[in-house]
Amino acid sequence: MNAAHDAPPRTSLPFDAATAGADSAALAPFPNSRKVYIEGSRPDIRVPMREIWQSPTPGSFGGEANPPLFVYDTSGPYTDPMAAIDLRRGLPTPRLPWIVERGDTEALPGPSSAYGRARLDDPALAALRFALQRPPRRARPGRNVTQMHYARQGIVTPEMEFVALRENLRRKEYLASLAESGPVGARMAALLGRQHPGQSFGASIPPEVTPEFVRQEVARGRAIIPANINHPEVEPMIIGRNFLVKVNANIGNSAVSSSIGEEVDKMTWAIRWGADNVMDLSTGKHIHETREWIIRNSPVPIGTVPIYQALEKVGGKAEELSWEIYRDTLIEQAEQGVDYFTIHAGVRLAFVPMTARRLTGIVSRGGAIMAKWCLAHHRESFLYTHFEEICDIMKAYDVSFSLGDGLRPGAIYDANDEAQLAELKTLGELTQRAWKHDVQTMIEGPGHVPLHLIRENMDLQLEQCSEAPFYTLGPLTTDIAPGYDHITSGIGAATIGWYGTAMLCYVTPKEHLGLPDRDDVRDGIITYKIAAHAADLAKGHPGAQMRDNALSKARFEFRWADQFNLGLDPDKARLFHDATLPKESAKVAHFCSMCGPQFCSMKITQEVRAYAEQGMQEKALEFVRGGATLYREL
Amino acid sequence: MNAAHDAPPRTSLPFDAATAGADSAALAPFPNSRKVYIEGSRPDIRVPMREIWQSPTPGSFGGEANPPLFVYDTSGPYTDPMAAIDLRRGLPTPRLPWIVERGDTEALPGPSSAYGRARLDDPALAALRFALQRPPRRARPGRNVTQMHYARQGIVTPEMEFVALRENLRRKEYLASLAESGPVGARMAALLGRQHPGQSFGASIPPEVTPEFVRQEVARGRAIIPANINHPEVEPMIIGRNFLVKVNANIGNSAVSSSIGEEVDKMTWAIRWGADNVMDLSTGKHIHETREWIIRNSPVPIGTVPIYQALEKVGGKAEELSWEIYRDTLIEQAEQGVDYFTIHAGVRLAFVPMTARRLTGIVSRGGAIMAKWCLAHHRESFLYTHFEEICDIMKAYDVSFSLGDGLRPGAIYDANDEAQLAELKTLGELTQRAWKHDVQTMIEGPGHVPLHLIRENMDLQLEQCSEAPFYTLGPLTTDIAPGYDHITSGIGAATIGWYGTAMLCYVTPKEHLGLPDRDDVRDGIITYKIAAHAADLAKGHPGAQMRDNALSKARFEFRWADQFNLGLDPDKARLFHDATLPKESAKVAHFCSMCGPQFCSMKITQEVRAYAEQGMQEKALEFVRGGATLYREL
């Protein structure tokens, strides 16, 4: 039994930097799996994947060996038993040489934000502070260090090559080597590689992702690689409609609950289950210090909503926010290594009254804060008026925009209304302005939307934002199931992912009710991995069906352990199976507790297949003579 | 706190008919709810609904009273504190007078099936047997007692009127009386009644369901009312694409697990959470006796797959099945009151070899059994060759066909293949033959289907089966998440429900892994209630959005208890909320643990609304002068 499932929840002792340790549940390797690294064109491009071994097919079904399967792995070094994990030192920094050798950045003497310096100089924070030895970096004056900028110069960066290798999952080499291994391998390759043609609504998914394809997609803004130069720990990933659909998990403390240690644990737990990105939405104490711990230990891109912290700095009074405070916050966070900022620059003064007749008004926190500021001053949003200056900051660190949908609907009632669509159009204008600065940009989307109105959201977004990646929260397809909003929204997420959304922001069962705990985070992520994968299958993403094929083959052949291990959550599958049939002998039994030994249709099917393949009439006679019965022993 | 959540699981003592008692968790009324009955054109038409009371809007939001909401209620008398529940006596029989007064049926001296008589005469079964005092009924010779037959004669039966009242949920009267109660009520009626126009793919959903509309839909086969004349306990419901999407829950023991008492408990538990129908798929011991207990205590229609029991009778040897044994089983079960039979008559001999190249062959148990029989005898299926005689039995008791999809795909790999579509076409032919006998018919559908291939299933079914109601299992949109197949399939269920499927067969988290327990049943049903409701919203079913509107209004106004109580699972919503903020005072707090008091966007929105409504500039000045801060107290 894997340790992950049984690990007790961590206790909420006061956080102490000197003794901070990793969550043991996040460190356990997955069953029958090992971390492998694919080397790129240079030895320091090492792309992680997870290899899952399978057992041979039982002799009664053919007895062939089943090849290991490679799956996308977001968990970073944590699940690698060879890696030495020490939260106090942070993760290795594979990107650092790539950043330095480009020669367009410089190490700063220290944080250049006033707030960053103040926090560093505050001795009261010593026990909480991550001991970062590395100074922050920034673009040299006049330089632009975004992946989009490089792409537009025709440069294929190591980051681009990395994501190309990562998206392909060695599929071509894997199937070729299988096919060359002999007739059994060739049959296996044909079976595993078979896939339904997809329906992609105008996406341009290539049969294989090349580094040059990545460059083109980033250059034209149809994909982003969130990778701040101050986050050299990151294993690059790509977000775009022509790539695998990604999943974002939100973590973060609030004034009511949670500590630094718990937030780091939530991050390692979230990436274990497959979160491609993590947003730190903390609004409570020690936001700055919490963020540092998370980034230094995160192999996935980290996003934030800087207005939350800016509001803390003015004691929660929205009307006291100013461009200067906000600007300092952007620089503070950019120098820590935040990879993308949610910025609600589309909440313009003129749109605010459009929300007055809504059932649930403005449900985005950032949107509500900005609306309040606009009204209090009766002025245009400073995020909108200072957008050019924001772009200047973004391109000095390669922080990507996640243009926030501050006016997203918070109820089915409010879906696709005037306010929402006015903001979306503005986000399209801002996308063009960001692209003039070569700043990578994605667009946030709703919210609460009934199934039949989801398509309109996607179509308008593609058109008005020129195919900049869409990044949606759900959408929730009904309001009536508090406690199950991972499901109300998972339905919408799969649907909008199919239509073309590039990244899905998860929703946990606790949505609308409370802060998610570990179980909620896991449920939320697995639900969204399902939605993302269902979308990949529907779009016809090359190779997406391979894991389905392998798992179904294992299921059909009663390879129970393989069925568990190939799934998204091996621990839960095993636990559920063992709830009825706990004995190890049941793991090789040719039946399960759903039907019992006598009625197993899979078993019957195998007999049918034998007949069909060997000539029906002849076998029928033989069968009746033999008086064969179905499998009955337990 | 509602008792339902905390009720311990029932213990598995040997079942004893003399002491059988109802599950206390199924008897608890829902919070702030009461069972109400709407009287029809005659006093014995009493249509159950659940009324949920709401608290008034807090004064700071307007202070208005919020009207109670009426929701569809499948739980039968169990949640009615005025009802005397005694499992040993069974439920009241509201349909009995309607059946008797039609004068086309006769009471039999006893069971007319050989097996039914044998079970009745076996003294060893005394301790298990339900003590039914009522003899079985059957159509008088030459008479046809199906709802479809009556409908085609132009007769509106009490059952038809019942379902019409039930589908409408008093919506028209409710909104009219609200609107007439004054300006506040009128505003409330406008708000609650507002709904997005739907997209229904050619459905013909009326603004209000009349008994005559029900008759027309049943007459043309586009809807069925499963209502065996031997199940007078049933509260009639309707299945059709122009009505609310329904949910079926499967229960049933197997050779490995479960007793009679547990199965009855599963039924009462399933209907508590919203199962519209229940299928008893038992394959273990005492199938006959278990079924009797379930039917006598079930207010919802019960379906079965008679081939399971027929196979038991021949010791599990499929090749020893015969039409005679099967026929006796149909009569045995029809006289107990089973409302619909899954019959895999579309698994024809010629289709079986089409499954040989599949990845997972035949995964339907019934389909596999029949395939094996066909091959063993090299003969056409006796279900197909005796279809006319089956129709004669169905119409003598008004058992509805659920034409089984024995060749449904069991893996994404096998979706929409030749075998599946050949069977579907045959089911269309059989539908026409059943309709010639005026036998009510629905069609079962897949299975495992990727999102983009679901539409083809629905379109073909509508065309080839002439809009007979489609009844699908999921479909599962990916194979890679054992342990979460309620979600992989909930996505597909919502989608196919939107396209026109009339009833969704639930899948629990234990699918593929083991027999569902109580938690699994609840998770499965709530997931499918979400899918069905998401489909109703997308189709634009009149009034479907009312519950969403009411719940979102409660959410926006921080009426926490109302938000819980209006949801599909009030117990879980409350539990989740209380996990972070257990104090009763937090139930009226204007914030939740997700954001804490300072950041609540809902609170900010209310302030925004006040500005927008009172003139923006003036309020802005006033606000700055007053130095207003956000709500901060805990």
Side-chain angles (χ1 to χ4, degrees):
Chain A
M1 177 89 196
N2 190 294
H5 189 84
D6 291 329
R10 312 283 303 277
T11 51
S12 280
L13 293 175
F15 183 75
D16 182 346
T19 58
D23 176 12
S24 63
L27 296 177
F30 278 88
N32 272 36
S33 297
R34 63 170 182 164
K35 172 93 66 180
V36 294
Y37 296 91
I38 310 305
E39 197 175 297
S41 64
R42 43 191 275 183
D44 68 349
I45 296 182
R46 296 176 72 239
V47 181
M49 288 168 203
R50 178 154 66 95
E51 183 181 17
I52 309 171
W53 317 308
Q54 301 193 72
S55 44
T57 294
S60 57
F61 295 82
E64 73 270 20
N66 289 289
L69 204 79
F70 294 90
V71 300
Y72 198 104
D73 186 354
T74 58
S75 64
Y78 295 99
T79 53
D80 183 354
M82 307 299 290
I85 300 293
D86 183 347
L87 294 188
R88 295 165 304 177
R89 291 169 169 275
L91 293 180
T93 55
R95 284 186 65 225
L96 196 55
W98 311 342
I99 294 163
V100 171
E101 73 190 21
R102 287 193 274 258
D104 52 3
T105 57
E106 59 192 3
L108 300 173
S112 45
S113 71
Y115 190 82
R117 285 195 300 273
R119 297 300 279 193
L120 197 57
D121 295 342
D122 185 346
L125 297 171
L128 296 178
R129 196 181 292 128
F130 183 87
L132 178 63
Q133 307 301 323
R134 201 173 60 235
R137 301 188 77 86
R138 189 174 61 194
R140 290 183 192 279
R143 304 300 293 268
N144 183 332
V145 299
T146 71
Q147 293 289 320
M148 189 181 208
H149 184 71
Y150 303 136
R152 288 178 165 185
Q153 308 296 311
I155 299 166
V156 174
T157 61
E159 286 88 344
M160 295 173 200
E161 182 183 341
F162 191 103
V163 301
L165 291 168
R166 197 170 195 183
E167 291 281 318
N168 287 329
L169 289 170
R170 298 193 64 240
R171 188 176 57 257
K172 196 172 147 189
E173 300 81 349
Y174 172 79
L175 291 176
S177 90
L178 252 185
E180 285 159 15
S181 69
V184 172
R187 195 165 55 80
M188 193 79 75
L191 186 152
L192 290 176
R194 198 189 149 213
Q195 181 161 324
H196 297 284
Q199 177 188 7
S200 72
F201 299 98
S204 307
I205 304 166
E208 192 185 1
V209 176
T210 61
E212 171 58 18
F213 179 76
V214 171
R215 187 197 66 75
Q216 289 169 16
E217 290 290 293
V218 172
R220 69 173 281 179
R222 203 151 62 177
I224 69 170
I225 300 174
N228 185 323
I229 56 170
N230 288 308
H231 193 185
E233 299 88 353
V234 94
E235 294 173 342
M237 53 79 66
I238 192 162
I239 303 168
R241 70 185 290 215
N242 297 318
F243 300 92
L244 291 163
V245 175
K246 304 303 188 296
V247 170
N248 176 79
N250 291 336
I251 60 171
N253 58 8
S254 78
V256 175
S257 176
S258 204
S259 83
I260 292 179
E262 286 174 55
E263 294 311 313
V264 175
D265 288 356
K266 274 187 205 161
M267 182 274 291
T268 56
W269 186 242
I271 63 176
R272 174 181 184 79
W273 296 111
D276 294 285
N277 280 4
V278 167
M279 288 194 81
D280 172 17
L281 302 185
S282 294
T283 55
K285 289 179 189 168
H286 309 306
I287 301 183
H288 180 89
E289 289 69 30
T290 302
R291 186 186 311 122
E292 189 75 35
W293 279 93
I294 291 173
I295 296 175
R296 297 288 74 82
N297 287 290
S298 173
V300 305
I302 299 294
T304 63
V305 188
I307 200 81
Y308 294 173
Q309 191 184 4
L311 188 63
E312 292 273 352
K313 293 177 183 175
V314 294
K317 297 180 183 170
E319 68 281 8
E320 293 187 8
L321 281 167
S322 68
W323 162 243
E324 289 69 28
I325 287 166
Y326 188 76
R327 181 180 179 280
D328 195 69
T329 306
L330 293 183
I331 293 170
E332 169 205 344
Q333 297 196 10
E335 292 186 355
Q336 288 187 298
V338 174
D339 300 286
Y340 55 100
F341 289 151
T342 292
I343 298 188
H344 299 92
V347 181
R348 299 190 59 178
L349 175 65
F351 304 156
V352 177
M354 295 176 185
T355 67
R357 290 281 155 204
R358 281 182 159 184
L359 182 56
T360 57
I362 301 176
V363 295
S364 150
R365 285 190 266 167
I369 291 164
M370 289 315 300
K372 185 159 183 179
W373 187 92
C374 290
L375 292 178
H377 296 275
H378 198 68
R379 278 170 54 196
E380 186 58 274
S381 156
F382 61 80
L383 300 178
Y384 187 82
T385 57
H386 289 270
F387 194 73
E388 298 291 319
E389 290 156 89
I390 296 174
C391 289
D392 286 336
I393 296 169
M394 307 298 262
K395 68 188 179 193
Y397 303 95
D398 197 8
V399 183
S400 298
F401 274 116
S402 186
L403 292 175
D405 57 333
L407 303 182
R408 68 171 176 267
I412 291 292
Y413 188 99
D414 295 330
N416 295 23
D417 73 350
E418 183 191 18
Q420 186 197 338
L421 300 184
E423 183 187 35
L424 179 60
K425 199 171 171 200
T426 305
L427 299 184
E429 295 162 20
L430 294 172
T431 300
Q432 295 299 332
R433 290 170 63 186
W435 284 355
K436 281 194 185 139
H437 291 269
D438 296 348
V439 174
Q440 304 192 90
T441 302
M442 61 181 169
I443 311 293
E444 296 186 10
H448 293 237
V449 183
L451 260 180
H452 66 305
L453 299 185
I454 290 176
R455 182 77 190 274
E456 183 185 21
N457 276 275
M458 190 71 235
D459 289 349
L460 286 174
Q461 192 274 340
L462 287 172
E463 179 196 326
Q464 299 185 340
C465 302
S466 312
E467 294 190 77
F470 205 22
Y471 165 35
T472 61
L473 179 77
L476 286 72
T477 53
T478 168
D479 307 339
I480 70 166
Y484 298 83
D485 277 328
H486 59 313
I487 298 175
T488 64
S489 68
I491 293 167
T495 305
I496 204 162
W498 172 24
Y499 296 159
T501 287
M503 184 158 74
L504 307 170
C505 182
Y506 87 163
V507 172
T508 79
K510 289 269 172 64
E511 182 76 14
H512 298 117
L513 298 170
L515 274 181
D517 62 18
R518 295 168 66 87
D519 286 341
D520 298 318
V521 167
R522 176 172 162 181
D523 279 347
I525 292 172
I526 299 289
T527 301
Y528 273 68
K529 296 300 278 186
I530 290 169
H533 186 72
D536 287 335
L537 285 177
K539 289 165 73 178
H541 201 93
Q545 200 181 308
M546 203 180 293
R547 192 170 182 176
D548 296 77
N549 295 346
L551 191 144
S552 286
K553 185 173 188 288
R555 180 176 281 157
F556 184 66
E557 293 169 354
F558 299 101
R559 288 183 279 121
W560 288 99
D562 291 346
Q563 186 192 158
F564 307 153
N565 297 341
L566 291 166
L568 292 177
D569 187 343
D571 300 340
K572 184 164 279 184
R574 178 177 288 262
L575 187 82
F576 278 3
H577 177 269
D578 291 0
T580 329
L581 294 173
K583 285 187 294 187
E584 271 309 304
S585 62
K587 302 292 190 308
V588 292
H590 285 191
F591 60 87
C592 72
S593 67
M594 291 188 74
C595 307
Q598 187 171 315
F599 277 95
C600 179
S601 60
M602 295 253 183
K603 182 74 188 134
I604 294 175
T605 301
Q606 289 147 21
E607 303 184 14
V608 166
R609 183 180 289 186
Y611 290 125
E613 288 180 350
Q614 293 175 36
M616 286 166 61
Q617 192 141 19
E618 175 197 329
K619 283 301 289 184
L621 289 169
E622 183 188 311
F623 175 79
V624 173
R625 276 196 302 266
T629 54
L630 309 187
Y631 195 99
R632 273 173 175 277
E633 292 162 62
L634 186 53
Chain B
M1 177 93 197
N2 190 293
H5 190 84
D6 290 329
R10 313 283 302 277
T11 50
S12 280
L13 293 176
F15 184 76
D16 183 345
T19 58
D23 175 11
S24 63
L27 296 178
F30 279 87
N32 271 36
S33 297
R34 64 170 181 164
K35 173 92 68 179
V36 295
Y37 296 91
I38 310 304
E39 197 173 298
S41 63
R42 42 191 275 183
D44 67 349
I45 296 182
R46 295 177 72 240
V47 181
M49 287 168 205
R50 178 154 67 94
E51 183 180 19
I52 308 172
W53 316 308
Q54 300 192 73
S55 43
T57 294
S60 58
F61 296 80
E64 73 268 23
N66 289 288
L69 204 80
F70 294 89
V71 299
Y72 199 103
D73 187 353
T74 58
S75 64
Y78 294 100
T79 52
D80 183 353
M82 307 298 289
I85 301 292
D86 183 346
L87 294 188
R88 296 166 301 179
R89 291 170 170 274
L91 293 180
T93 55
R95 286 185 64 225
L96 197 55
W98 311 341
I99 295 161
V100 171
E101 74 191 21
R102 287 194 273 258
D104 50 5
T105 58
E106 58 192 3
L108 301 172
S112 44
S113 70
Y115 189 83
R117 287 194 300 275
R119 297 300 278 193
L120 197 59
D121 295 344
D122 184 346
L125 297 171
L128 296 179
R129 196 181 292 125
F130 182 89
L132 178 63
Q133 306 301 322
R134 199 172 63 233
R137 302 188 77 86
R138 189 174 62 192
R140 292 183 190 279
R143 303 300 293 269
N144 184 333
V145 299
T146 71
Q147 293 290 320
M148 188 181 210
H149 183 72
Y150 303 137
R152 288 178 164 186
Q153 309 295 310
I155 299 166
V156 174
T157 62
E159 287 88 346
M160 296 174 201
E161 182 183 340
F162 190 102
V163 301
L165 291 169
R166 197 170 194 183
E167 292 281 318
N168 288 328
L169 288 169
R170 297 194 63 241
R171 188 176 57 258
K172 196 173 148 188
E173 300 81 349
Y174 172 78
L175 290 176
S177 90
L178 253 185
E180 286 159 14
S181 69
V184 172
R187 195 166 55 82
M188 193 80 75
L191 187 153
L192 290 176
R194 196 187 150 214
Q195 181 160 326
H196 297 284
Q199 176 187 7
S200 72
F201 299 97
S204 307
I205 305 166
E208 192 185 1
V209 175
T210 62
E212 171 58 19
F213 179 76
V214 171
R215 187 198 66 73
Q216 289 169 15
E217 291 289 294
V218 172
R220 68 174 281 179
R222 205 152 61 178
I224 69 171
I225 300 174
N228 185 323
I229 56 169
N230 288 307
H231 193 185
E233 298 88 352
V234 93
E235 293 172 344
M237 53 79 67
I238 192 161
I239 303 168
R241 71 185 292 214
N242 296 319
F243 301 92
L244 291 163
V245 175
K246 304 303 190 297
V247 170
N248 175 78
N250 291 336
I251 61 172
N253 58 8
S254 78
V256 175
S257 178
S258 201
S259 81
I260 293 178
E262 287 174 54
E263 295 311 313
V264 175
D265 287 356
K266 276 189 206 161
M267 181 273 291
T268 56
W269 186 240
I271 62 176
R272 173 179 185 80
W273 296 111
D276 294 286
N277 279 2
V278 168
M279 287 194 81
D280 173 17
L281 303 184
S282 294
T283 57
K285 288 178 190 167
H286 309 308
I287 300 181
H288 180 89
E289 289 69 29
T290 302
R291 184 186 312 122
E292 189 76 35
W293 279 93
I294 291 173
I295 296 174
R296 297 290 73 81
N297 287 289
S298 174
V300 305
I302 299 293
T304 63
V305 188
I307 200 82
Y308 295 173
Q309 190 183 7
L311 189 64
E312 291 272 352
K313 293 177 181 175
V314 293
K317 298 180 183 172
E319 68 280 7
E320 293 187 9
L321 281 166
S322 68
W323 161 243
E324 289 70 29
I325 287 166
Y326 188 76
R327 180 180 180 282
D328 195 69
T329 306
L330 293 183
I331 294 169
E332 169 204 344
Q333 298 195 10
E335 292 186 354
Q336 287 186 298
V338 174
D339 300 285
Y340 54 101
F341 288 151
T342 292
I343 297 186
H344 299 93
V347 181
R348 298 189 61 179
L349 176 63
F351 304 156
V352 177
M354 295 176 186
T355 66
R357 291 279 155 206
R358 281 182 160 186
L359 181 56
T360 57
I362 301 175
V363 294
S364 148
R365 284 189 267 169
I369 292 164
M370 289 315 299
K372 185 159 183 180
W373 187 93
C374 289
L375 291 177
H377 297 275
H378 198 69
R379 278 169 56 196
E380 187 58 273
S381 156
F382 61 80
L383 300 178
Y384 186 83
T385 56
H386 289 271
F387 194 74
E388 299 291 320
E389 289 156 271
I390 296 175
C391 289
D392 287 337
I393 296 169
M394 306 298 262
K395 68 189 180 192
Y397 303 95
D398 197 9
V399 183
S400 297
F401 274 116
S402 185
L403 292 175
D405 57 335
L407 302 182
R408 68 171 176 266
I412 291 292
Y413 188 100
D414 295 331
N416 295 23
D417 73 350
E418 182 191 17
Q420 186 198 337
L421 300 184
E423 182 187 37
L424 179 60
K425 199 170 171 200
T426 305
L427 299 184
E429 295 163 19
L430 294 172
T431 300
Q432 294 299 332
R433 290 169 63 187
W435 284 354
K436 280 195 186 138
H437 292 268
D438 296 348
V439 175
Q440 303 192 90
T441 302
M442 61 181 169
I443 311 293
E444 295 186 11
H448 292 238
V449 183
L451 259 180
H452 66 306
L453 299 185
I454 291 175
R455 181 79 191 273
E456 182 185 20
N457 275 276
M458 190 72 235
D459 288 349
L460 286 174
Q461 192 275 341
L462 287 172
E463 178 196 327
Q464 299 186 340
C465 302
S466 311
E467 294 189 78
F470 205 23
Y471 164 35
T472 62
L473 179 76
L476 286 71
T477 54
T478 168
D479 306 340
I480 70 166
Y484 298 83
D485 278 328
H486 58 314
I487 297 175
T488 65
S489 68
I491 292 167
T495 305
I496 205 163
W498 172 25
Y499 296 159
T501 288
M503 183 157 74
L504 307 170
C505 181
Y506 88 163
V507 172
T508 78
K510 289 269 173 65
E511 182 76 12
H512 298 119
L513 298 170
L515 276 180
D517 62 17
R518 293 168 68 88
D519 286 341
D520 298 318
V521 167
R522 176 171 160 181
D523 278 346
I525 291 172
I526 299 289
T527 301
Y528 273 69
K529 295 301 277 187
I530 289 169
H533 186 70
D536 287 335
L537 285 177
K539 289 165 74 178
H541 202 95
Q545 200 181 306
M546 203 181 291
R547 193 170 182 177
D548 296 79
N549 295 346
L551 191 144
S552 286
K553 184 173 190 288
R555 180 175 283 156
F556 184 67
E557 293 169 356
F558 298 101
R559 288 183 279 122
W560 288 98
D562 290 347
Q563 186 192 158
F564 307 152
N565 297 342
L566 290 166
L568 291 176
D569 187 344
D571 301 339
K572 183 164 281 185
R574 177 176 288 261
L575 187 81
F576 278 2
H577 176 270
D578 291 0
T580 329
L581 294 173
K583 285 187 295 188
E584 271 309 304
S585 62
K587 303 293 191 309
V588 291
H590 284 191
F591 60 89
C592 72
S593 67
M594 291 188 74
C595 306
Q598 185 170 317
F599 278 93
C600 180
S601 60
M602 295 252 184
K603 182 74 189 133
I604 294 175
T605 299
Q606 288 148 21
E607 303 184 15
V608 166
R609 184 180 288 186
Y611 289 124
E613 287 181 350
Q614 293 176 36
M616 287 167 56
Q617 193 142 17
E618 175 197 329
K619 281 303 286 183
L621 288 171
E622 182 185 313
F623 174 80
V624 173
R625 275 197 302 268
T629 54
L630 308 186
Y631 194 98
R632 272 175 174 277
E633 294 164 61
L634 186 56

